[in-house]
């Protein structure tokens, strides 16, 4: 507990959350599911071809009675621009 207190006490004023949102359509039932990547917390730093990139993997589930798990993988640059995205179990839609 003390660790978290210490962590937050000196933190600067909370800025607006930085999210990347997207929609995927389930291959099985056609449901459109909205996904959201928290660009401040969800990304993990990786090194690829001498550059650093940010990587995130998300598992999404729709509401209905569909058990298809949709797995999304995205890569961002250090300035949080999307460079690559992949989806299994669904497709990206606008
Ligand atoms: Zn589905």
């Amino acid at each position: 507990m003390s660790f978290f207190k210490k962590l937050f006490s000196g933190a600067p004023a909370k800025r607006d959350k930085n999210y990347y949102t997207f929609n995927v359509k389930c291959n099985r039932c056609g449901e459109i599911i909205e996904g959201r990547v928290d660009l401040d917390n969800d990304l993990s730093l990786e090194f690829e071809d001498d550059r650093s990139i940010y990587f995130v993997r998300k598992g999404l589930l729709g509401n209905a009675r569909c058990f298809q798990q949709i797995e999304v993988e995205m890569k961002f640059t250090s300035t949080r621009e999307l460079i690559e995205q992949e989806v299994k179990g669904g497709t990206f839609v606008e």
Side-chain angles (χ1 to χ4, degrees):
M1 201 61 196
S2 58
F3 171 75
F4 286 105
K5 268 185 185 163
K6 196 176 172 188
L7 200 69
F8 288 121
S9 59
K14 227 173 181 195
R15 61 193 171 97
D16 282 348
K17 274 288 187 184
N18 203 5
Y19 289 113
Y20 177 81
T21 55
F22 57 92
N23 293 303
V24 288
K25 186 176 176 186
C26 176
N27 278 350
R28 199 157 165 255
C29 68
E31 181 182 353
I32 306 235
I33 303 162
E34 189 183 289
R36 198 165 69 159
V37 174
D38 182 336
L39 294 173
D40 293 320
N41 293 309
D42 288 350
L43 303 181
S44 53
L45 187 62
E46 288 193 2
F47 294 96
E48 190 182 79
D49 303 330
D50 290 334
R51 61 176 180 167
S52 50
I53 54 133
Y54 287 90
F55 176 79
V56 62
R57 178 182 288 132
K58 285 253 161 197
L60 301 170
L61 269 181
N63 301 311
R65 293 159 294 269
C66 171
F67 299 106
Q68 172 80 44
Q69 161 109 358
I70 300 172
E71 196 173 281
V72 175
E73 290 183 7
M74 289 174 176
K75 288 176 186 175
F76 295 86
T77 65
S78 54
T79 53
R80 310 295 196 268
E81 282 174 67
L82 183 69
I83 41 177
E84 218 178 291
Q85 61 180 12
E86 261 185 56
V87 60
K88 287 175 203 155
T91 46
F92 287 108
V93 291
E94 290 299 313

